[in-house]
Amino acid sequence: DLHRLIRRQRQMCIRDRLKIAQNVPLQEIEGVKSLSNNGTLLYKKGVQLNLDELPTPDYTDIPLKDYFNIASLYTNRGCPNRCSFCGEWFLCGNKFRMRSPDLVVGDIEGVLEKFHPEYIIFGESLINADLSYFETLCEKMAEKQFPIHFGCHFQAKITPDLARKAVKAGFDDAWVGVEALTEEELTKVHKAVNVSENLQAINAFTQV
């Protein structure tokens, strides 16, 4: 059913949804995976889009009540690091991209107004890849005093001051990627942090 497919792909960019509506074969659409009649996986590498050009996520056809009234948003795609155990940078393209803080705040406002979630999770692998960006985002979110809380994944690089700003912004759940407990193991997997930074991050969050 073409209409059902279009609804399920609502998060795709408008361009690709239009191609599906025009009956363009899925294997010819960049960034879309499909199966051939004999079960072979077909994939044409996608284009890395400017995140600021994407619309606010639309949950019209997704009953949030079936998902504990939790919505998800994204501030970035990909990862600036190259940990050996992770394929995030490969899946999302080798260029790390961020959505402007003002648009992220607008996304929060739009989703709250239309869909009334009780919690919002930022779904990227690390929200603080750029500490200056994250500080700006926290300050803008704190100004709005949103009536809900937020959770996200963090890289283990954060100061106590920035952790406090995150709490004021509404973050109350932090998932920190430690991965290994020794310098040797961290170096082996090409982790971009050391044991000291891991401990500092845990301390910073614990303090707040």
Side-chain angles (χ1 to χ4, degrees):
D1 185 298
L2 180 59
H3 295 291
R4 177 183 296 178
L5 178 60
I6 291 176
R7 288 197 298 270
R8 290 178 59 189
Q9 299 296 330
R10 187 175 292 274
Q11 297 301 319
M12 294 171 60
C13 70
I14 295 173
R15 179 199 61 193
D16 288 352
R17 297 202 334 248
L18 178 60
K19 288 182 179 179
I20 292 175
Q22 293 172 336
N23 291 320
V24 175
L26 293 180
Q27 64 269 25
E28 295 180 11
I29 302 176
E30 296 173 337
V32 175
K33 289 185 177 181
S34 61
L35 293 175
S36 67
N37 291 334
N38 63 6
T40 302
L41 180 64
L42 304 173
Y43 177 65
K44 186 175 182 181
K45 189 174 182 180
V47 176
Q48 288 188 278
L49 301 174
N50 181 342
L51 299 189
D52 284 352
E53 296 177 356
L54 298 180
T56 293
D58 186 345
Y59 287 93
T60 298
D61 294 323
I62 301 177
L64 291 183
K65 61 182 178 60
D66 292 343
Y67 297 90
F68 306 100
N69 286 318
I70 297 175
S72 63
L73 297 174
Y74 284 81
T75 69
N76 65 61
R77 286 289 194 280
C79 184
N81 304 318
R82 296 293 183 268
C83 299
S84 63
F85 56 84
C86 180
E88 181 77 10
W89 63 272
F90 179 77
L91 293 172
C92 295
N94 56 14
K95 182 180 179 181
F96 179 66
R97 296 160 291 153
M98 295 183 291
R99 186 167 172 83
S100 73
D102 287 325
L103 289 178
V104 173
V105 170
D107 291 340
I108 296 171
E109 292 176 320
V111 169
L112 284 177
E113 180 182 353
K114 293 182 179 180
F115 307 108
H116 315 291
E118 296 178 2
Y119 197 81
I120 289 179
I121 291 176
F122 286 93
E124 59 267 21
S125 291
L126 67 169
I127 198 170
N128 62 326
D130 184 317
L131 293 183
S132 177
Y133 170 93
F134 184 61
E135 182 173 17
T136 299
L137 177 63
C138 286
E139 291 172 349
K140 290 181 178 292
M141 290 173 63
E143 290 176 0
K144 296 293 183 177
Q145 296 186 331
F146 290 116
I148 63 170
H149 289 98
F150 308 89
C152 60
H153 294 88
F154 282 89
Q155 184 179 20
K157 288 185 177 180
I158 196 164
T159 64
D161 180 60
L162 188 49
R164 284 190 289 270
K165 288 188 176 183
V167 171
K168 290 181 179 179
F171 290 98
D172 70 345
D173 206 349
W175 307 301
V176 182
V178 173
E179 269 77 56
L181 302 178
T182 68
E183 298 291 0
E184 181 181 7
E185 291 171 324
L186 290 170
T187 300
K188 184 177 181 180
V189 299
H190 307 299
K191 190 71 179 172
V193 296
N194 55 44
V195 172
S196 177
E197 289 172 316
N198 281 337
L199 292 174
Q200 288 173 9
I202 292 171
N203 286 331
F205 284 123
T206 301
Q207 290 173 25
V208 297

